[in-house]
Amino acid sequence: MSDIVFTDARIVDGTGAPSFRGHVSVRDGRIEQVTRGTAPEGHKVVDLEGAVLAPGFVEAHSHSDFEVFVDSALSPKLHQGITTEILGQDGLGAAPVSADGAKEWSNRMQTLSGSNDAAPTFETVEAYLDAVDNADPALNLGMLAGHGTIRFEAMGMAGRTATSDELDEMRALLQESLDHGCLGLSTGLIYHPQIHSDTEELRALCEVLSPTNRPFVAHIRSEGHWLFEAMYEFISVGYETDVPLHLSHFKLSGQKQHGKADLALAFLNIAREMGVDITADQYPYVAGSTSLSAVLPPWVHGDGAAKTLEHLQDPESRMRIAADVEEFRIPFWENDAGTVGWENIRICDVGSGDPDIEGKTITEIAADRDADPLETCLDLLVEEELDVRIVIFLGCEADVETIFESPVTCIGSDGLVSENPHPRLYGTYPKIIGKFVREKNLVSLEEAVRKMTSLPARIYGLQSKGVLREGQDADLVSFRPEWVATESSYDDPKQLPSGIDHVVVDGEFVLRDGEQTGRRPGRTIRA
């Protein structure tokens, strides 16, 4: 007898094929049967009455690396129907970090962790993944090796290119991380310390990655002023080293690039015609979210947080920062403030929790203080010791929709946990179903589900996930597409979605009738 039987389901199998009515049974953590005929007997029988049953959503870009130790249910994700998350994004992660660098890297990861406390670090990827398993997560979690973490372990926060010996150490650390089960390599080339790497460093690391056929995942050097140069660098590394490429949170930032989504997609399509296996992920919002310190020029970060704070309080350094921002003097630096304007940078939260700051733009805070916006930004970073998170309005709806419609684009929330997060942390997947599919008809429901299931599973080599088929892992989500919606907003982001009824992970209900069951069947996924 089956453990669970879902009857009268509208089966959307994750491949993009047309849906059909049928029954699905689960046994011993696997999908046992998918049939249009008579439903098998089961210990638990759930009549879906025509609701959709699909593979559990695979989040292509997640930042739950530290949140799993705080909320092992990963509640904002499981209520969206997510059953698998890919961690270690943007080149940043919890391992490998040796004891002598642990304090500095913990402080560096504070923004990512969403906590005022230092984030935990681990000496090896294996130790981190074991700790995640011991936390009993509700969802499945895979990890990418982080370029920034590896670079820090090899050469600290040094603001320069690597020596040959340091590059050899990075290659060895990457190989060890891959051996411990990392699903690929990620980088974030606007973030310190990997912002200081050159193309040769990326190429050398990808040569280690190439034999594994695992992807190189990148937040490229620029999504705004230097977008096309940054895309060219990324594609050339993949072409020359024969590694699969995956472009993180694909977007076009700033007025200069708005309306050019078709041109940017042409870059990807030309690369695919050249034999480069390149894909992308996206969140369905015009605003991004990151640390306010990301608006600083690379040289300000060059020697760690203490030196950064010194620069921010030095009059000559502040003049130099102002010139770099206003005049675009540094080629290929992602100058967010210069690109989108201070009026489009909004403070999510700060370490002190100051209500006179949170929820306001830099321009508004500057007006309150009767000060210049750039000076206000630098003062805030000093006052809060760099612990400032922002929402930055950088895109346009037309480009978001054009990128979403591309068959190479999958979905990831890129949500950072904080007291006042970006609404994507709670609303990404229901917004796709409710707005992009039901209201705007940008793609069919079957195609949207493919973008959330089999496409990211294929990208990350998750062979037993992403498709509703006999023998696959029993990671499932049931929802009513006519009801799915999110109330999560920039002003009130912590809102759980509606219309998602059941979530099953490895054959166990983690969400039933919209309520968490308390079960924690998730596990780490190791390549």
Side-chain angles (χ1 to χ4, degrees):
M1 183 177 288
S2 304
D3 298 327
I4 306 172
V5 177
F6 291 98
T7 62
D8 193 22
R10 178 186 172 188
I11 297 171
V12 180
D13 68 7
T15 67
S19 63
F20 61 95
R21 295 291 276 266
H23 320 292
V24 174
S25 61
V26 171
R27 186 173 182 178
D28 296 332
R30 298 276 181 173
I31 298 172
E32 180 185 35
Q33 189 177 14
V34 180
T35 178
R36 290 186 178 89
T38 303
E41 295 183 353
H43 292 290
K44 298 176 184 176
V45 177
V46 182
D47 185 354
L48 293 183
E49 300 178 334
V52 166
L53 187 66
F57 301 149
V58 178
E59 186 179 0
H61 191 110
S62 169
H63 288 292
S64 297
D65 307 58
F66 303 102
E67 182 65 10
V68 67
F69 301 119
V70 179
D71 171 21
S72 63
L74 297 168
S75 304
K77 301 304 182 68
L78 75 85
H79 279 272
Q80 295 183 64
I82 295 166
T83 57
T84 299
E85 298 185 66
I86 308 299
L87 312 177
Q89 300 287 347
D90 297 320
L92 305 171
V97 181
S98 56
D100 57 353
K103 186 176 187 300
E104 185 173 9
W105 192 249
S106 292
N107 291 335
R108 173 73 181 87
M109 292 295 98
Q110 185 175 313
T111 299
L112 193 64
S113 71
S115 169
N116 290 334
D117 300 322
T121 62
F122 300 83
E123 293 202 2
T124 66
V125 165
E126 184 176 44
Y128 170 73
L129 293 175
D130 287 346
V132 171
D133 279 329
N134 289 336
D136 293 326
L139 311 182
N140 298 308
L141 301 166
M143 180 185 180
L144 299 170
H147 176 199
T149 314
I150 287 171
R151 195 178 209 268
F152 172 78
E153 182 67 1
M155 53 187 295
M157 292 291 193
R160 55 173 173 77
T161 57
T163 67
S164 58
D165 287 344
E166 289 165 341
L167 196 52
D168 286 343
E169 184 174 356
M170 278 189 266
R171 290 164 61 97
L173 288 166
L174 173 57
Q175 185 62 63
E176 179 186 80
S177 298
L178 295 170
D179 292 343
H180 287 177
C182 283
L183 302 177
L185 168 67
S186 80
T187 191
L189 294 171
I190 73 162
Y191 297 119
H192 188 66
Q194 61 265 42
I195 191 172
H196 303 287
S197 62
D198 56 12
T199 307
E200 181 54 40
E201 183 172 316
L202 304 182
R203 190 179 296 112
L205 293 175
C206 282
E207 286 171 354
V208 176
L209 186 66
S210 183
T212 69
N213 294 312
R214 301 176 208 174
F216 177 39
V217 182
H219 180 149
I220 55 178
R221 290 195 198 275
S222 174
E223 297 166 329
H225 194 82
W226 313 98
L227 169 67
F228 294 102
E229 292 89 344
M231 291 183 70
Y232 178 81
E233 178 192 38
F234 183 46
I235 290 167
S236 68
V237 169
Y239 181 80
E240 292 166 11
T241 60
D242 193 28
V243 297
L245 298 179
H246 184 71
L247 179 59
S248 292
H249 38 63
F250 189 14
K251 56 185 174 289
L252 290 82
S253 175
Q255 188 66 40
K256 174 186 175 182
Q257 305 297 9
H258 289 176
K260 297 181 182 177
D262 283 328
L263 181 58
L265 283 166
F267 264 61
L268 269 64
N269 293 330
I270 290 169
R272 294 190 66 82
E273 288 294 322
M274 294 167 59
V276 179
D277 178 3
I278 186 168
T279 51
D281 63 58
Q282 177 199 45
Y283 48 81
Y285 297 87
V286 297
S289 182
T290 188
S291 167
L292 181 59
S293 62
V295 308
L296 300 175
W299 60 267
V300 182
H301 299 282
D303 295 297
K307 188 64 177 178
T308 296
L309 289 169
E310 285 184 27
H311 283 310
L312 296 179
Q313 296 172 82
D314 174 62
E316 290 188 9
S317 293
R318 288 168 80 106
M319 290 178 60
R320 182 180 171 190
I321 292 169
D324 288 341
V325 170
E326 294 163 4
E327 299 172 23
F328 285 87
R329 300 192 310 181
I330 304 175
F332 309 116
W333 167 50
E334 185 74 315
N335 180 3
D336 280 328
T339 298
V340 307
W342 297 110
E343 70 277 10
N344 289 311
I345 299 177
R346 174 176 172 172
I347 306 299
C348 284
D349 51 66
V350 295
S352 68
D354 187 342
D356 292 331
I357 295 173
E358 293 178 341
K360 294 183 178 180
T361 68
I362 297 291
T363 300
E364 290 169 337
I365 298 168
D368 291 342
R369 298 183 175 193
D370 193 23
D372 174 78
L374 186 138
E375 294 294 320
T376 298
C377 169
L378 304 186
D379 288 344
L380 277 175
L381 288 168
V382 172
E383 293 162 13
E384 299 293 338
E385 296 182 339
L386 307 180
D387 188 15
V388 186
R389 283 168 284 276
I390 60 173
V391 165
I392 178 168
F393 292 86
L394 40 71
C396 70
E397 289 287 355
D399 286 339
V400 172
E401 293 175 7
T402 297
I403 290 169
F404 173 73
E405 291 175 300
S406 169
V408 305
T409 305
C410 66
I411 308 303
S413 76
D414 193 18
L416 298 174
V417 176
S418 70
E419 285 301 313
N420 298 288
H422 189 298
R424 65 193 182 186
L425 181 67
Y426 285 79
T428 290
Y429 289 77
K431 184 175 181 181
I432 294 290
I433 297 167
K435 185 172 183 180
F436 283 12
V437 175
R438 185 179 67 237
E439 295 180 14
K440 294 202 168 187
N441 291 307
L442 298 180
V443 299
S444 68
L445 177 63
E446 291 87 346
E447 172 62 5
V449 169
R450 183 188 73 86
K451 291 172 172 290
M452 298 187 284
T453 57
S454 66
L455 179 55
R458 196 278 296 172
I459 290 165
Y460 289 110
L462 311 181
Q463 301 299 326
S464 63
K465 300 187 183 297
V467 177
L468 208 164
R469 182 179 295 148
E470 289 91 343
Q472 294 287 93
D473 291 345
D475 297 341
L476 304 167
V477 57
S478 176
F479 59 91
R480 297 186 178 274
E482 67 274 21
W483 295 347
V484 171
T486 177
E487 298 298 323
S488 181
S489 67
Y490 296 105
D491 293 322
D492 191 10
K494 290 185 174 180
Q495 300 296 312
L496 296 174
S498 58
I500 296 173
D501 299 324
H502 310 297
V503 178
V504 173
V505 174
D506 292 340
E508 295 188 42
F509 281 101
V510 294
L511 194 75
R512 187 163 187 182
D513 296 320
E515 299 293 332
Q516 292 179 212
T517 66
R519 303 295 296 170
R520 302 286 190 273
R523 56 187 172 82
T524 57
I525 302 169
R526 312 189 193 201

